[in-house]
Amino acid sequence: MDAELVQEMVRSGATSVAGLMATAAWNQASSRIARLFGRGERDEEASAELEVIRAEVLEADGDQEVLADQAAALRNRLRALFRTEPQAAEELFEILAEFAPGRFNKVGGTYIINTIDGNSTVNSDLVIQAGIIHEMRH
């Protein structure tokens, strides 16, 4: 994974993990994400730290400022992790491709991360993302 893609994984990955924490899918994804952060040596500690962040995400009840703070905390952790373990970016990509399908995809050897942030205006807030469109007709 090249440096630019790793930086996008820091940003998009943190936001996606924070969002995943507020869903029922967290129960399935949490052990894999804890293993990612714990690197097999501190998995239980990483799991406990992630549960603290998750509790704050759930208590936020949609408060965007709190959610942004938790995403920032995750960004910092991912940045530090990827600095020492660059292959962890690909591991996170694979986890998120499973739990956030459509946002994280890999086609052949190409990584695809679809990101629209709240600070962007695209066609007056109408966003359409698509892969290859065959026989497009009007």
Side-chain angles (χ1 to χ4, degrees):
M1 210 177 265
D2 68 24
E4 185 177 321
L5 192 55
V6 169
Q7 288 307 311
E8 182 59 25
M9 278 305 300
V10 167
R11 193 176 71 68
S12 295
T15 302
S16 295
V17 169
L20 190 58
M21 289 176 165
T23 69
W26 179 252
N27 295 329
Q28 295 174 314
S30 62
S31 62
R32 290 178 58 192
I33 293 173
R35 242 186 338 270
L36 174 81
F37 281 112
R39 305 312 292 157
E41 297 173 7
R42 313 183 308 100
D43 296 0
E44 287 183 29
E45 181 182 332
S47 181
E49 292 170 357
L50 289 168
E51 286 306 317
V52 168
I53 293 172
R54 180 176 189 245
E56 292 183 19
V57 166
L58 294 175
E59 287 175 21
D61 196 31
D63 182 331
Q64 293 304 306
E65 187 174 339
V66 173
L67 295 174
D69 288 347
Q70 297 314 312
L74 288 165
R75 268 194 309 277
N76 291 335
R77 291 186 62 133
L78 287 174
R79 203 172 281 115
L81 174 63
F82 296 165
R83 198 174 302 122
T84 59
E85 305 265 351
Q87 72 277 12
E90 187 163 340
E91 292 174 40
L92 178 61
F93 186 93
E94 296 298 327
I95 293 168
L96 293 176
E98 181 178 339
F99 291 99
R103 183 160 185 200
F104 296 88
N105 298 295
K106 189 173 180 182
V107 178
T110 303
Y111 294 90
I112 302 167
I113 303 173
N114 297 315
T115 304
I116 303 295
D117 69 30
N119 299 323
S120 300
T121 300
V122 180
N123 293 334
S124 300
D125 296 327
L126 171 65
V127 178
I128 299 172
Q129 296 181 342
I132 299 169
I133 300 174
H134 298 279
E135 297 184 36
M136 189 168 160
R137 297 178 187 176
H138 300 275

